[in-house]
Amino acid sequence: MEGTSMSYGAVLAVRGVVKAFSAARVVMERSPHSVLAGEGATTFAVRNGIEAAETLTDDAKQQFEDWRRQHLEEEGSDHRGESHDTVGVICLDHDGNLCAGTSTSGWKFKHPGRVGDAPVVGSGLYCDSSVGAAVATGDGEEILRTCLSFAVVEFMRGGDSPQLACKKGIARLEETVKRSAAGRSVEEVNRMHDRLTVAVMAMNPKGDIGAASTLGPRNVHRGRPSFPLAIWRKGDPVRVVEETEIP
Ligand code: ASP
């Protein structure tokens, strides 16, 4: 999403193209559409110069086969992997133009056809150069129903710093999850909350940044209580910081 012209392009459920960001960009720049899905997205991308390539790695294939062997008997159960792989990027140029992008292979071992938050405008990403940009990662279903990135940008529009806006966005998402759990037992609600893995980061046109996540001592995944992000400003080396280090 390019935040000055407010243009947006996305490809969903795309196979045979590794460079999904580039495919989304050609949809944005060279088609009259915002979103292309499946085979049509691949055909359009390849016709517009994006390299066709096998996306399934041997490692991923092996993981899938191991998983299928283990879970064949338990169809329909929630085998949500704990690994999240969305890459979210926000860029600001010297003239104050912001852009944002996300790319993911999505929830591991999902049902065919499932689309997560990453390519959905307002959920996985949102960008308005006059206000700010936000990108999200984590449990897509929760991000989608909260319109998390849009909410964070709207908090900035209302005057919040990127950091406060991210915190408010995460608080709203946690509230949404709680509401959807109405009627369930306290233990079940706590279990849902413990598993919740969502992070969001944001930037405003001044280059101030913010980040917040649902991670904490209560719901640590893979031993990490916070969410790492990389910051690069021209002339400086890349810095990797934990979200909790942002004031
Ligand atoms: N947000 C992605 C999705 O739900 C998953 C992830 O971040 O890994 O598809």
Side-chain angles (χ1 to χ4, degrees):
M1 184 165 190
E2 198 283 307
T4 301
S5 61
M6 301 294 285
S7 313
Y8 155 73
V11 289
L12 324 181
V14 67
R15 290 183 183 199
V17 165
V18 172
K19 295 185 176 168
F21 264 90
S22 304
R25 184 170 184 169
V26 293
V27 171
M28 179 174 90
E29 292 177 347
R30 299 190 202 163
S31 87
H33 309 299
S34 294
V35 183
L36 291 179
E39 217 182 298
T42 308
T43 312
F44 185 84
V46 172
R47 208 189 296 138
N48 280 277
I50 309 301
E51 193 190 337
E54 174 56 63
T55 48
L56 184 62
T57 62
D58 290 343
D59 183 43
K61 197 169 171 194
Q62 188 60 50
Q63 284 186 40
F64 175 66
E65 277 161 10
D66 293 346
W67 171 84
R68 188 160 57 174
R69 215 170 304 118
Q70 273 171 25
H71 298 297
L72 215 50
E73 300 304 312
E74 302 166 52
E75 203 181 321
S77 56
D78 179 0
H79 296 302
R80 196 180 301 220
E82 285 187 358
S83 73
H84 288 279
D85 70 353
T86 301
V87 178
V89 184
I90 300 173
C91 299
L92 172 67
D93 73 10
H94 281 294
D95 300 320
N97 300 299
L98 278 162
C99 66
T102 46
S103 179
T104 190
S105 58
W107 179 342
K108 246 186 198 174
F109 315 137
K110 57 194 168 276
H111 194 284
R114 181 256 181 190
V115 171
D117 61 295
V120 178
V121 67
S123 292
L125 76 168
Y126 196 70
C127 183
D128 178 341
S129 294
S130 63
V131 178
V135 291
T137 181
D139 302 333
E141 274 60 11
E142 319 306 349
I143 298 168
L144 277 164
R145 60 188 166 145
T146 314
C147 295
L148 181 60
S149 296
F150 183 70
V152 168
V153 171
E154 291 308 294
F155 287 132
M156 290 192 275
R157 197 185 302 279
D160 292 340
S161 67
Q163 182 57 11
L164 183 59
C166 286
K167 284 191 172 158
K168 283 187 175 175
I170 290 293
R172 178 172 291 182
L173 180 135
E174 289 179 326
E175 193 48 46
T176 309
V177 172
K178 245 187 247 153
R179 276 171 58 179
S180 70
R184 301 194 190 196
S185 69
V186 174
E187 292 74 27
E188 212 176 328
V189 174
N190 285 344
R191 221 174 10 251
M192 278 169 76
H193 194 256
D194 287 349
R195 280 196 333 192
L196 192 61
T197 307
V198 173
V200 65
M201 64 177 188
M203 189 190 273
N204 67 15
K206 289 192 285 181
D208 303 326
I209 57 165
S213 79
T214 60
L215 300 181
R218 210 171 119 83
N219 51 358
V220 173
H221 287 256
R222 293 187 298 161
R224 188 192 285 285
S226 68
F227 159 66
L229 56 146
I231 303 167
W232 181 72
R233 293 183 201 277
K234 197 172 177 198
D236 292 346
V238 175
R239 263 188 324 134
V240 176
V241 299
E242 298 286 322
E243 140 243 335
T244 45
E245 290 170 43
I246 300 174

